[in-house]
Amino acid sequence: MFEERGILPCPPDGASRIGVYVCHCGSNIAAVVDVRAVARYAAKLPGVVVARDYKYLCSDPGQDLLAQDIREHNLNRIVVASCSPHLHEHTFRHAIAAAGLNPYLLQMINIREQVSWVHEDRRRATEKACDLVRAAVRRVRRHKPLENLRVPIHPDVLVVGGGIAGIHAALTLAGAGKRVYLVERQPSIGGHMAMFDKTFPTLDCAACILTPKMSAVKAHPNITLWTLSEVTRVEGYVGNYRVEVTRWPRYIREDLCAGCLECIEACVYKDAKFPDEFNLGLGKRKPIYLPFPQAVPQVPVIDPSTCIQFKTGRCKKTCVQACGERRAIDLEASEKVERIQVGSIIVATGFQAFDPARMPDYGYGLYPNVYTSLEIERLVNSSGPTAGELLLRDGRRPSSVGIIHCVGSRDRKQNRWCSRVCCMYSLKLAHLIRERTGAEVFNFYIDMRTPGKGFEEFYQQLLEEGVHFIRGRVAEVTDWALDPSEEGKLVLRVEDTLLGTVRRIPVDMVVLAVGLEPHRDAEEVRRMFNISCSKEGFFLERHPKLAPVSTFTDGVFLAGCCQGPKDIPDTVAQAGAAAAEALALIDTGYVEQEPNTAYVVEEHCSGCRTCISMCPYSAISMAAQDGQWHAQVNPVLCKGCGTCVATCPSGSIRQNLFEDEEIFEETEGVMAYV
Amino acid sequence: MSEPSGPSPRSEGAVFEPKIVAFFCNWCTYLAADLAGTSRLRYAPNIRVVRVMCSGRVDPQFVLEAFARGADGVLIGGCHPGDCHYQEGNYKALRRYHLLRRMLEQLGVEPERFRLEWISASEGERLKAVVNDMVEKVRALGPFGGLRDRQPIAEASLP
């Protein structure tokens, strides 16, 4: 039928010399699909010169086999039936290119992820594999040689999120001489790590290892740091992203402020009165405040929702007077939009802690002495609201503390995943609480998970320190005393699964080891960067093993807990990996793109312009030739979706690699029984 | 193992095994099918996937061609609204789907035979559910058997 349309004739019989290769993938495919039968079947298809099955086609000898056959049998088309093209299409294209064949004369079909791993009936799975092979053989005859497109890469990088992941990635890139924009939503960088007291299992002081890196970010000439800022728009594609960053007003000019903090001192509020966000409301701050002593930038911020001037317009503005000649305070400031161009983006937006109010049985918000682990981090921190003294709400020192593990994690009613860090930080908190207060500490755990360098040793150390471990999931926390020893205490009711009995443990303080979950606005962030989420809402990596920091959007990389719960070393390692991926892109200078772009058959185009409104990239424009208007596609802008191709009423826009004929052949191929 | 040659398998057994051609977008639904594989979910082996870059690439002719070549059903899989890798190709697919579905109904093709589903890369379970559901529904309808002798489906009876 295509020949009648006068386009892309099928090569005449004999011209196609096709090699078909059916991979066993060890037993992954061969256990379900009769690979020998598929190869025997393929051998009978028109145009097929060689058909083989092979144990591991992606291995070196497997690739050599392809190359050898291409030379010996003068093959000009290759069909590989193996795993998903998302995994190994690149490998096989490379292999046949090395043998001198154009890499796009390959058709790969997926008989592992989409056949052997999802079907059990050997006969029907084999039938399906044969159908797919037949379709591929028909399709590949239509393939034509194509050349890769090269798109230049803008050397600047955007890092979103100024936690330890974003900080490390930004410093790595800046250190390599690249210009980096680091965007942070909070008034200071530092993220969750800045809130921690010590880090497990080495008990390094979190601030001591983090703050030098924070200052380095501020000082680095290659890093543009924008705090109180959010990315609000992303357009473009790998190498050429156009990004809009909205910078919310701080009301104090970073370029003029010397960080003397006299304005805070001078505020008409003599005492700090408002809940302090950084200390999770455990401390107080003024309307003009520095988020925490080591904040970077070391510039105060004014909260307009509590500042008298913003609320009534009738403040004495003592802060402005205190600032004097510096004139750093600008109460008229408004938001500002920065427009930048970058070649790659690292998303390091972190996590949020599970809100235990969702589990009312644990009494968070009901009993004042039930805390989250993050609140305890602030309470034991010497720059925290109690200057490092662990005290109950009434000022007493606790003599017994219960730490409940897995709050919100490994729970069918809440989050099903293990948050990975809670066992270890609970051990750390148990150690710190015991060290600071001498209290009896009880850990209530489901399983102790200590897989990491020095982790198990730390657990053993805690056992020796006399911390109690009770294996069981706490049913409830209550203040209902059943005997005098429980009066005035919080009682944890738990089944001790090692003793096989229900126990009641009275304590003064309960710590909920809350899990990690995606930010509540992760969905919007995901959409903005055009990346995917896994089922639980963390950002999805391109491949769980082999591309753990890449995404399905080229040039967008992931680092830290936005991709899934992880500890600080893993976060830093991932941030380094993301920076390296971005560097590799920048230093190559260009990216090779699959040539799946659309093109116009000019003599058939009537110039109706239907396609123009279809293109989300404005890649199609009109051009005149001999007084006749026709569409033309800019291949650099075209991303290869093919929407215009499906729209063209005269079939005069076509798509490389996904030509109508190729798809028709494939469709007919899966249906027809030759 | 019998190699498929000669007559279609639908004549072999008592149970009718429909054949469904599926056009899956490269970024969401094809990946969901890969995920179903790596998660070792089991679903009916009745679908034959044709990969396209975007559901917006699916020309109505592909669907008609699949039916003309004997498909008992056609499934288009794309990214959820707002999630298209190419920004809005799935919306274009949706518009075409509605028109084409109407046309197919006028030709007497039952609506269960032609579906458009949004299945994201993380929805392996959903892919399995959609495929199994469609196979069951099409199985209940019986073989497609072409357009001859079909009556238009009245608008009122449409869901």
Side-chain angles (χ1 to χ4, degrees), chain A residues 227-281:
Chain A
T227 48
L228 281 170
S229 304
E230 283 179 87
V231 175
T232 40
R233 198 183 170 92
V234 179
E235 282 180 339
Y237 47 90
V238 57
N240 299 280
Y241 286 106
R242 293 179 304 283
V243 180
E244 257 179 39
V245 179
T246 303
R247 302 184 62 195
W248 309 107
R250 178 186 283 272
Y251 303 107
I252 296 175
R253 287 183 55 175
E254 282 179 45
D255 52 339
L256 298 179
C257 175
C260 68
L261 311 185
E262 278 174 28
C263 50
I264 302 179
E265 202 56 40
C267 178
V268 292
Y269 280 102
K270 285 290 159 258
D271 296 310
K273 202 182 149 194
F274 304 101
D276 160 7
E277 292 84 355
F278 186 76
N279 284 319
L280 305 163

Side-chain angles (χ1 to χ4, degrees), chain A residues 1-2 5 28 32 34 36-38 40-41 44 83-87 89 93 107-110 112-128 130-132 134 138-139 235-236 523 526-527 530 532-535 540 542 552-554 594 596 613-617 639-648 654-655 658-660 663-664 666-668 670-674, chain B residues 1-10 12 17-67 69-73 80-93 95-96 120-125 127 131 135 139:
Chain A
M1 67 180 278
F2 314 110
R5 288 159 62 179
N28 280 305
V32 179
D34 187 341
R36 295 217 163 79
V38 177
R40 278 201 305 275
Y41 173 71
K44 292 185 242 159
C83 49
S84 172
H86 282 279
L87 191 64
E89 191 166 52
R93 279 182 180 164
Q107 175 66 9
M108 200 171 157
I109 56 166
N110 186 344
R112 193 179 73 169
E113 283 84 345
Q114 297 188 11
V115 179
S116 68
W117 280 353
V118 287
H119 306 317
E120 284 165 318
D121 183 325
R122 190 173 169 84
R123 183 183 63 85
R124 297 190 61 202
T126 306
E127 251 167 41
K128 182 172 173 182
C130 288
D131 282 0
L132 294 173
R134 185 176 58 238
R138 291 188 60 162
R139 186 192 209 272
E235 282 180 339
E523 180 67 16
R526 175 183 80 70
R527 292 213 164 156
N530 203 356
S532 306
C533 279
S534 47
K535 200 164 63 183
L540 186 66
R542 192 171 187 118
F552 285 101
T553 301
D554 289 336
E594 208 170 278
N596 55 13
S613 64
M614 288 293 127
C615 181
Y617 303 100
K639 295 290 140 245
C641 64
T643 304
C644 59
V645 187
T647 300
C648 180
R654 310 176 50 78
Q655 185 185 11
F658 292 89
E659 299 279 3
D660 281 355
I663 297 171
F664 279 131
E666 203 176 341
T667 312
E668 285 176 33
V670 291
M671 291 310 305
Y673 286 84
V674 181
Chain B
M1 217 307 291
S2 69
E3 289 167 26
S5 55
S8 130
R10 67 182 56 152
E12 284 172 11
E17 290 297 347
K19 218 171 193 187
I20 290 164
V21 174
F23 297 98
F24 284 171
C25 84
N26 186 53
W27 303 103
C28 287
T29 313
Y30 194 87
L31 287 174
D34 277 2
L35 177 65
T38 47
S39 315
R40 308 298 197 279
L41 305 178
R42 306 287 176 196
Y43 58 81
N46 301 54
I47 68 160
R48 304 289 181 265
V49 177
V50 175
R51 184 170 65 108
V52 288
M53 293 309 283
C54 178
S55 54
R57 174 68 183 93
V58 180
D59 191 320
Q61 289 188 74
F62 297 168
V63 177
L64 298 175
E65 181 73 11
F67 279 122
R69 297 287 161 172
D72 300 299
H80 284 274
D83 282 4
C84 179
H85 190 82
Y86 304 102
Q87 297 177 18
E88 51 197 29
N90 51 356
Y91 294 129
K92 311 291 194 273
R95 285 197 227 164
R96 288 186 202 123
S120 81
S122 61
E123 293 179 321
E125 286 281 355
L127 181 114
V131 170
V135 169
R139 197 198 308 277

Side-chain angles (χ1 to χ4, degrees), chain A residues 493-505:
Chain A
R493 211 158 56 80
V494 59
E495 182 191 358
D496 186 327
T497 57
L498 296 181
L499 294 181
T501 174
V502 174
R503 296 174 68 180
R504 292 172 63 86
I505 314 281

Side-chain angles (χ1 to χ4, degrees), chain A residues 611-623:
Chain A
C611 51
I612 289 184
S613 64
M614 288 293 127
C615 181
Y617 303 100
S618 308
I620 313 177
S621 57
M622 298 302 289

Side-chain angles (χ1 to χ4, degrees), chain A residues 117-391:
Chain A
W117 280 353
V118 287
H119 306 317
E120 284 165 318
D121 183 325
R122 190 173 169 84
R123 183 183 63 85
R124 297 190 61 202
T126 306
E127 251 167 41
K128 182 172 173 182
C130 288
D131 282 0
L132 294 173
V133 164
R134 185 176 58 238
V137 165
R138 291 188 60 162
R139 186 192 209 272
V140 82
R141 290 182 302 172
R142 301 267 179 189
H143 283 210
K144 54 188 185 183
L146 296 166
E147 294 304 322
N148 277 342
L149 286 164
R150 283 188 173 188
V151 178
I153 299 286
H154 193 287
D156 295 355
V157 185
L158 169 70
V159 178
V160 189
I164 181 59
I167 289 172
H168 187 77
L171 285 173
T172 307
L173 288 160
K178 309 302 171 200
R179 163 131 231 106
V180 182
Y181 297 93
L182 178 58
V183 176
E184 167 60 47
R185 170 148 70 177
Q186 299 295 328
S188 168
I189 54 170
H192 280 99
M193 188 178 169
M195 299 168 79
F196 302 158
D197 182 49
K198 299 280 189 287
T199 56
F200 61 75
T202 49
L203 301 175
D204 300 277
C205 150
C208 314
I209 54 178
L210 177 65
T211 47
K213 293 189 80 123
M214 289 163 63
S215 323
V217 165
K218 185 68 196 155
H220 208 294
N222 291 344
I223 300 179
T224 304
L225 171 62
W226 286 330
T227 48
L228 281 170
S229 304
E230 283 179 87
V231 175
T232 40
R233 198 183 170 92
V234 179
E235 282 180 339
Y237 47 90
V238 57
N240 299 280
Y241 286 106
R242 293 179 304 283
V243 180
E244 257 179 39
V245 179
T246 303
R247 302 184 62 195
W248 309 107
R250 178 186 283 272
Y251 303 107
I252 296 175
R253 287 183 55 175
E254 282 179 45
D255 52 339
L256 298 179
C257 175
C260 68
L261 311 185
E262 278 174 28
C263 50
I264 302 179
E265 202 56 40
C267 178
V268 292
Y269 280 102
K270 285 290 159 258
D271 296 310
K273 202 182 149 194
F274 304 101
D276 160 7
E277 292 84 355
F278 186 76
N279 284 319
L280 305 163
L282 295 168
K284 298 273 192 273
R285 61 158 173 82
K286 295 181 179 182
I288 183 166
Y289 65 102
L290 193 66
F292 57 101
Q294 307 92 334
V296 170
Q298 189 70 200
V299 176
V301 52
I302 295 175
D303 167 20
S305 70
T306 51
C307 173
I308 295 182
Q309 178 60 23
F310 283 91
K311 283 166 72 183
T312 67
R314 287 200 300 272
C315 181
K316 283 188 281 178
K317 293 190 262 188
T318 43
C319 54
V320 179
Q321 289 160 21
C323 194
E325 281 308 297
R326 284 203 175 274
R327 298 177 201 283
I329 301 185
D330 175 10
L331 298 171
E332 307 296 312
S334 59
E335 73 199 53
K336 202 168 133 195
V337 176
E338 306 267 2
R339 289 185 178 81
I340 54 172
Q341 197 169 10
V342 296
S344 42
I345 297 172
I346 295 176
V347 179
T349 48
F351 66 95
Q352 71 180 24
F354 175 80
D355 175 8
R358 279 155 58 190
M359 296 175 77
D361 292 345
Y362 289 166
Y364 181 77
L366 177 66
Y367 305 122
N369 289 319
V370 177
Y371 292 88
T372 68
S373 45
L374 211 50
E375 288 169 337
I376 298 298
E377 294 279 358
R378 295 313 302 149
L379 288 178
V380 296
N381 192 303
S382 54
S383 68
T386 55
E389 271 219 78
L390 186 70
L391 300 173

